[in-house]
Every structure is written in structure tokens, then in C-alpha cells.
Amino acid sequence: MGFYPTGDGWKAFDLEARPEKELPVFGVSGRYPAGSVVPMHQHPQGHLIYADSGLLRVQAESGQWLVPPTAAVWLRSGVAHSLAMPVTLQAYGLFVRQDVCARLPAFDCVVHVSPLLRELIISLAQAREENMSAKRMRLLGALVMEEVLTQPTLPFHLPWPMSETDGPMARLCQALLDDPGDMATAAEWADRLAMGQKTFHRRFLQSTGMTFGKWRQQLRLMSSLPLLMQGMPITQVALASGYDSHSAYTTAFGKQFGKPPSAFFPAREPC
């Protein structure tokens, strides 16, 4: 099952009814207005999700990803997920037959999208509109698989509380996602949630698999990516993301992503 936007909301379409479903890899594409949220759903196939602009947010049972146009999310078959589009964007989804998924990662992750992989994804996702032959789709699908296998995985994963018992932690995570620059300490959050500090830290670690400090830093770094993409000076990005200086932000960014923010998304203005 999949969804596409209409003037009245979301309309579901059955991927199993499409003739291409017998192919090893096939795709769909759609343009989504800013603020769109695709409801939680799942597919029997493996799923590669890519957007050409902005920052695509993917929430799944195993966590959340904030994905720039240089990356795509890979989800194993059967993984329930939803999508959120903070800006208007063109999204592309490739579906990989289960017997072919064995060649791809056995875990949900984000992979780098090379220029070649980008063009392959777009071509295959638009194959139906272009009346592409099954032979060509098979060849493109095989090349997609080869190219995905050469791409490194990227640290864009943010674990998310999914259990019903994790309600307070989920509300906290959502509040920080809405305002990454929030400066409240762990002790202040514990007070807000009417918990002792030890209980707060234990519950957060149980809910996310990460300490509160590490989780918040990862959130801030991931949330800073769209600001960099907009060309905001790095000092302003640092302050908006909850860091007190350019150097503190640059150091944390380099440790997380392996390169400084100036190399990741060069700013359009001097910093």
C-alpha cells in the first residue's frame, strides 16, 4: 500500500496491483506540498526513499531519519513508516522484491546518493510515465542495486521512543525536535516530567538506547542540516541549534559526520 496527495487529502494505491510488481525493482514518484505528512503504512517490498530537495523526515518503528538530498533511506520489507515534508519536494520511492533484498543492508539505514544513483532512482521511479520497457527497467534496477552497494551508510539515524509506555519520553523528544535550540537541562526536563533525575536518565536510555545528552546533540546536528542547506552562516546555524559558539558546533559536527559543516553544505555567505 502507498499514498499520494490529492486536493482532499491522501489517496491510497495498491502496489500489488501494478504490473511492474514482478520486476526486481520498480518505483513511484510524487510531488508533495510543504507540510505534507504521509500516514503510517508499510510495504511487502524493501523500500528506498529519496527526495530531491529540502529535508525529508522518515519515521519508522526503528527510529527517525532527517535526510538531505544527498542521501536516501533504506527500509527493510514490512517496516511501518510515515513521511513528513517540511518543504515542497519531489519524492521518489523504489521497491525491491524480497528475494532481491538479501543483497542490501539487513538493517534500516541512510545511504549516500551519488550523482549516478540519483539519476538512476529518478529514471526508474518515473519509468511508468515514460512508458519504459520491462527490459530497460530490469537493467536500471540491476544498476541501482550495484550502485547502492557501493554507497557508505550515513549517521542520520535518531532513535525514537515507540512504546506506549514511553509517552513522556516521546513528548520530550517531540518538543526538542520542534525546538532543537531549547537549552533546558536534563534536571529541568526531569522536573517538568515529575521524575527524579536518576529515573529520568534511566527512562530516556531505555526508551532510545542513547543517553539524553548524546541524543540531544545528535538531534541538534541533524536539525542543523536544513539551515546549512539554506546558506545560513555557520555561526548563526550554531546558535540556532543550541551551541554557544562556531567552534563548539564545528567540532561536534566533524565528530558526527566526519567533515566540517563548511564542507558538508558550503554556506552562500561568509561566516
Side-chain angles (χ1 to χ4, degrees), residues 109-148:
C109 61
V110 172
V111 297
H112 175 68
V113 173
S114 65
L116 174 58
L117 181 56
R118 178 183 184 277
E119 296 306 316
L120 290 170
I121 291 172
I122 293 174
S123 294
L124 197 50
Q126 296 179 335
R128 193 176 196 186
E129 290 83 351
E130 298 172 1
N131 295 315
M132 189 179 294
S133 69
K135 177 181 178 181
R136 182 172 177 80
M137 289 179 66
R138 286 180 182 276
L139 291 171
L140 285 177
L143 191 50
V144 164
M145 298 291 290
E146 293 300 321
E147 189 66 9
V148 168

